[in-house]
Amino acid sequence: MTPIVELCLRITMLLYLAGSVGYMLYAAFERSALREGSRVVTVFAFTLHCCLLAHRIWSAQRLPLTNMYETLMFFSWLVVIVTVVAEKKYDVHILGAFALPVAFLLLAATSLLNPDVEPLLPALRSNWLLAHVVTCFLAYAAFAVACASSLFFLIYGGLRRLGLRKKAGEQRRLDLLDSLTYRMITFGFPFLTVGIVTGSVWADVSWGTYWSWDPKETWSLVTWLVYALCLHFRHVSGLRGRWAAVAAIVGFVSVVITYFGVNYLFSTLHAYA
Amino acid sequence: MFLTRSLRSMRVAIPVLAVLATVAALGTAVPRGRSADFYTETYGPVWSALIRGSGFDDVYHAWWFVALLGWLLLSMSVCSLSRARLLLRASRPTPPDPGGKVLRVKGQGESPSAEVVATRAGHWLRKRRYRVISSDADGDGHALIAEKGRVGRFGSLIIHAGAVVVLLGGALTALFGVSSVVRITEGETAEVPDTSLAVRLHSFSVDYHSGTDRVKEYRSNVSVSSGTRLLTGGDIAVNHPLAAGGFRLYQMNYRVDVRDVVVRARRSADGAAAGEYRLRVGEPKWIPELELNLEVTAFEPDFIFHDGLAASRSERFNNPAARLEVSAGTSPAHGAWLFMDAEGSPHAEREKSPYRFLLSGYEPRFTSGVKVVRDLGRPVVYAGFVILVLGSFVGCYVFHRRLDIRIDTGEDGRVRIRCVAGHARNPIDFERDQGKLMEHLDAIPCREEGTES
């Protein structure tokens, strides 16, 4: 990694961290100046992040999707995009208080990994790589935002029950957060389905079996089942509010285990991921 | 019937799903298919007995896990069939709901304003891709039914159908699938167990990323026959399988072996050549001219010493080395590593060795690992995947929305807009739609008393 790229990466991380602090202060004090300032910082950070990705694409002569270093950068980039779009579409301005720390941590984790561009292994030289990885991470980013809105639902709901938040329209805000959680899960679930399906087809083309209960495959199925349960609870049992928020957080824990835990705790054919 | 009720019951299905997810997750923590000794050494005797007794040593094939999957398959089938009936019934047109709360009361004026409002509302809704049916509400005002995304109600049904098809395909694979891995050395033929196929490896090649020792691609050039009939021939590479007679051949891995090496001997005393000898790795050979027993016991293509042990840095023949063991009669053997550019002297005391040896040649031969698969379940599973993906997008992105709007004129002459709103699961976007409709209707100018409309 060249010094300028390393500097860019550090500045991006610091800007995300600054944006996180700004959003957290906004979530606590609801001053519009904090919101606007955090947005400006996030835009700068995101612009630098795009430059980092573009540089990686230029260096590697391919999309940055083939190892943990690259997918961390890509995942954090997607988390920011989905957060910004969700904030704008649903007029909820506190998501950054969780999502930006996630983006910061993902980028910070890249400093523990080898940044060198490695030539592709034979198994990764496939057109399925793009479809499989992009759809999976798009789903993960949506679930991260669902986790964010769930956390705020629980925090605001708890403060309200304790009598610490008595503002007018607070119930409306809680309803909005609850609906946003649901909407993010429904946005991400089909992409996770496509991600698992494309992964299975690729495994079949590469290894001759579409499902081998590999830890990565199994945990992605567990994640899919957890979110399927979330949707079942909502549609069939009408479960909303606190328990729906808890279920969404459990789902994101499953995502974290699928993405990180499997690579470091188990022996898996996905070792390069 | 109790069984049918249980199969249809969400109270049963949700715990089954939760148990499947939990067991699947726990199963990743326990290595599968190992020996009893492995589990005892790793987990202790008590946990080992528990793991093996409960089937967690191969949990995904344990009878109770398969039974849970079977229950899920049956449950989804029964649920889907009963839900399909309900959904089809609910899809039939229904008359407009006469109730609903008053959302707006507009201006002054007589009933033509109600017609204008109804027309504008219908026009706006059609632009938003609602299907609008308007009618006179029993001669008293106007009724509109605006509906869209009805197919979204079938989303969960399609997802379940897809999952059922995938599970059925998986069952076909488990019951009738054939899979074998054969190792074939260049120039040789291997028979595939449990089939009538034989695979001959004509040649094997490896490509490397330029300027590196990293493998880019490797491929086997094979021909596949069944009995005496040639089925097909061609290249197999990773991600590029070969189809042959209902089977597919996959390139899994490879190994490079050196079967024969050539060793050149030279007399230590005067440096005169003492002959060149072809030796098979692992097979000792008596050389009468030298009165020595020679055996090549190991070969490394890219020799390196690592942690005091000989190893190979890569599979490329960058620094080939052969381990030569020399013995004379009943005396113990002594060994040394031979290189292409450096001699070795296998002797207890090197300087007393009568001969010095050099590695002068070797014949690498690739052994290709090829997986041969016949899977009748694959097309069924793929069909299930398509249905599953379609169902997930329909169920998660297409939301059924229905507005029953009644526009009439009250006794005070003001136009009233009443609405009964129904939505499937996406209140956040539906409420925005409703809000925008009301904003649009608010913008319709009220007709003042005594003026033309």
Side-chain angles (χ1 to χ4, degrees):
Chain A
M1 195 179 346
T2 61
I4 188 87
V5 171
E6 195 171 338
L7 181 65
C8 255
L9 180 62
R10 289 188 199 281
I11 293 173
T12 307
M13 284 180 349
L14 285 172
L15 286 175
Y16 278 141
L17 187 60
S20 311
V21 171
Y23 271 110
M24 284 179 196
L25 289 172
Y26 170 71
F29 300 112
E30 296 187 29
R31 298 272 186 267
S32 59
L34 286 167
R35 183 185 72 213
E36 294 310 315
S38 304
R39 256 194 212 150
V40 169
V41 168
T42 303
V43 166
F44 273 117
F46 185 71
T47 307
L48 277 177
H49 201 161
C50 291
C51 295
L52 285 169
L53 276 175
H55 176 266
R56 185 74 184 190
I57 293 170
W58 175 77
S59 304
Q61 293 294 301
R62 52 172 163 73
L63 289 173
L65 304 171
T66 62
N67 56 33
M68 182 63 89
Y69 180 89
E70 293 176 351
T71 53
L72 280 169
M73 281 182 64
F74 183 66
F75 184 19
S76 63
W77 183 76
L78 279 179
V79 166
V80 175
I81 288 180
V82 174
T83 302
V84 166
V85 168
E87 280 201 353
K88 201 161 169 55
K89 187 166 179 185
Y90 297 106
D91 215 22
V92 173
H93 302 289
I94 51 173
L95 296 175
F98 174 80
L100 283 193
V102 168
F104 163 73
L105 286 171
L106 290 171
L107 269 191
T110 61
S111 60
L112 302 171
L113 300 168
N114 178 11
D116 294 341
V117 176
E118 300 283 341
L120 276 184
L121 295 171
L124 294 180
R125 297 180 73 241
S126 168
N127 293 331
W128 289 106
L129 175 76
L130 178 68
H132 173 58
V133 176
V134 169
T135 51
C136 280
F137 280 103
L138 199 49
Y140 293 171
F143 297 148
V145 175
C147 183
S149 61
S150 296
L151 276 171
F152 281 111
F153 179 92
L154 291 175
I155 291 169
Y156 284 140
L159 290 173
R160 191 159 174 250
R161 272 195 305 280
L162 291 171
L164 298 173
R165 279 188 82 93
K166 293 178 186 172
K167 293 185 178 183
E170 197 66 14
Q171 184 56 48
R172 171 93 188 124
R173 169 182 275 191
L174 289 174
D175 290 342
L176 188 60
L177 285 170
D178 180 58
S179 293
L180 181 60
T181 299
Y182 169 73
R183 198 63 193 96
M184 284 293 108
I185 291 175
T186 54
F187 174 75
F189 187 76
F191 283 106
L192 181 62
T193 307
V194 173
I196 293 173
V197 162
T198 49
S200 290
V201 173
W202 186 12
D204 191 30
V205 168
S206 189
W207 302 321
T209 174
Y210 52 80
W211 195 265
S212 55
W213 295 105
D214 176 81
K216 194 76 152 184
E217 293 171 348
T218 305
W219 270 99
S220 66
L221 175 66
V222 169
T223 303
W224 191 86
L225 286 173
V226 169
Y227 283 107
L229 277 169
C230 288
L231 294 174
H232 269 92
F233 288 146
R234 191 150 190 130
H235 296 171
V236 181
S237 313
L239 195 70
R240 285 161 207 263
R242 208 185 325 167
W243 289 113
V246 169
I249 293 169
V250 168
F252 190 64
V253 169
S254 180
V255 167
V256 171
I257 295 174
T258 304
Y259 181 34
F260 291 108
V262 167
N263 292 350
Y264 296 107
L265 296 174
F266 307 118
S267 164
T268 168
L269 288 167
H270 279 76
Y272 35 75
Chain B
M1 210 157 70
F2 174 73
L3 180 64
T4 318
R5 268 207 313 277
S6 301
L7 285 169
R8 270 212 300 255
S9 165
M10 274 295 130
R11 287 175 192 257
V12 175
I14 286 178
V16 166
L17 269 179
V19 166
L20 271 172
T22 309
V23 169
L26 290 174
T28 58
V30 179
R32 289 183 282 143
R34 303 292 185 98
S35 66
D37 288 341
F38 169 83
Y39 294 110
T40 306
E41 282 168 19
T42 311
Y43 302 104
V46 173
W47 280 105
S48 169
L50 205 62
I51 286 168
R52 286 182 298 115
S54 62
F56 259 88
D57 55 340
D58 190 10
V59 67
Y60 307 115
H61 299 101
W63 68 266
W64 50 270
F65 189 80
V66 174
L68 278 175
L69 287 175
W71 179 273
L72 189 66
L73 172 67
L74 280 174
S75 172
M76 283 194 294
S77 305
V78 169
C79 275
S80 300
L81 283 171
S82 65
R83 194 164 159 70
R85 268 207 323 267
L86 290 169
L87 280 172
L88 285 169
R89 207 180 298 153
S91 307
R92 290 189 209 129
T94 54
D97 192 314
K101 62 177 186 180
V102 176
L103 288 182
R104 287 290 190 275
V105 177
K106 283 192 68 62
Q108 317 279 336
E110 294 169 6
S111 50
S113 289
E115 189 176 343
V116 165
V117 170
T119 305
R120 293 278 286 265
H123 182 65
W124 188 91
L125 287 163
R126 285 188 185 92
K127 274 177 69 175
R128 305 279 290 187
R129 287 180 285 120
Y130 279 85
R131 192 167 69 101
V132 179
I133 301 169
S134 54
S135 58
D136 289 335
D138 300 327
D140 179 24
H142 299 268
L144 296 175
I145 302 175
E147 196 174 18
K148 72 173 176 179
R150 196 192 284 183
V151 72
R153 303 179 74 172
F154 292 87
S156 65
L157 182 64
I158 302 172
I159 292 178
H160 285 97
V164 165
V165 174
V166 168
L167 284 172
L168 283 173
L172 282 175
T173 299
L175 291 170
F176 303 113
V178 171
S179 175
S180 301
V181 178
V182 289
R183 301 204 181 281
I184 325 166
T185 304
E186 277 181 294
E188 294 180 2
T189 300
E191 296 194 351
V192 181
D194 301 325
T195 72
S196 62
L197 298 184
V199 183
R200 181 171 179 81
L201 178 62
H202 298 290
S203 65
F204 188 89
S205 58
V206 183
D207 295 339
Y208 296 90
H209 288 282
S210 59
T212 75
D213 288 331
R214 305 291 290 270
V215 175
K216 182 179 176 183
E217 192 173 74
Y218 47 94
R219 69 184 71 76
S220 305
N221 182 262
V222 301
S223 58
V224 184
S225 49
S226 175
T228 55
R229 188 166 63 100
L230 176 70
L231 292 176
T232 190
D235 282 352
I236 318 170
V238 181
N239 290 315
H240 299 281
L242 180 71
F247 289 83
R248 280 199 196 184
L249 285 76
Y250 298 84
Q251 180 70 67
M252 299 302 288
N253 48 40
Y254 70 97
R255 200 178 63 221
V256 58
D257 291 325
V258 168
R259 197 164 70 164
D260 294 330
V261 303
V262 178
V263 166
R264 190 181 303 153
R266 203 164 57 85
R267 279 207 296 265
S268 300
D270 55 7
E276 208 167 64
Y277 305 99
R278 186 181 199 84
L279 304 170
R280 184 147 290 187
V281 176
E283 292 182 11
K285 187 172 182 179
W286 173 252
I287 309 295
E289 309 87 88
L290 306 180
E291 292 181 344
L292 290 173
N293 212 25
L294 302 183
E295 182 184 0
V296 173
T297 55
F299 187 93
E300 300 291 351
D302 194 3
F303 181 87
I304 187 173
F305 255 126
H306 183 67
D307 288 342
L309 294 172
S312 198
R313 195 191 339 244
S314 73
E315 63 194 24
R316 297 194 79 166
F317 290 86
N318 293 328
N319 188 26
R323 176 81 178 172
L324 180 70
E325 300 274 331
V326 174
S327 62
T330 55
S331 60
H334 298 284
W337 282 96
L338 310 183
F339 298 86
M340 299 290 283
D341 55 359
E343 289 177 331
S345 305
H347 196 273
E349 294 165 280
R350 272 188 12 184
E351 56 280 3
K352 291 183 179 172
S353 173
Y355 296 100
R356 302 175 78 79
F357 296 90
L358 183 79
L359 177 66
S360 67
Y362 54 89
E363 285 181 11
R365 292 216 309 175
F366 289 98
T367 298
S368 176
V370 172
K371 189 174 185 181
V372 183
V373 175
R374 185 178 63 193
D375 188 350
L376 297 174
R378 182 190 298 113
V380 178
V381 168
Y382 279 22
F385 282 162
V386 170
I387 300 168
L388 198 60
V389 168
L390 180 70
S392 62
F393 276 100
V394 167
C396 291
Y397 286 164
V398 181
F399 296 102
H400 179 230
R401 307 173 202 192
R402 173 170 163 150
L403 286 161
D404 284 33
I405 303 172
R406 193 182 176 93
I407 301 166
D408 58 18
T409 308
E411 287 173 0
D412 58 0
R414 296 167 83 184
V415 172
R416 294 180 307 184
I417 304 169
R418 265 195 294 226
C419 183
V420 173
H423 59 82
R425 308 189 300 271
N426 186 17
I428 194 174
D429 289 334
F430 188 56
E431 281 170 13
R432 285 187 343 177
D433 257 5
Q434 260 191 294
K436 284 187 177 152
L437 171 63
M438 290 303 131
E439 280 171 22
H440 177 74
L441 296 180
D442 279 345
I444 300 171
C446 296
R447 193 164 63 94
E448 295 298 330
E449 201 170 342
T451 62
E452 292 297 321
S453 63

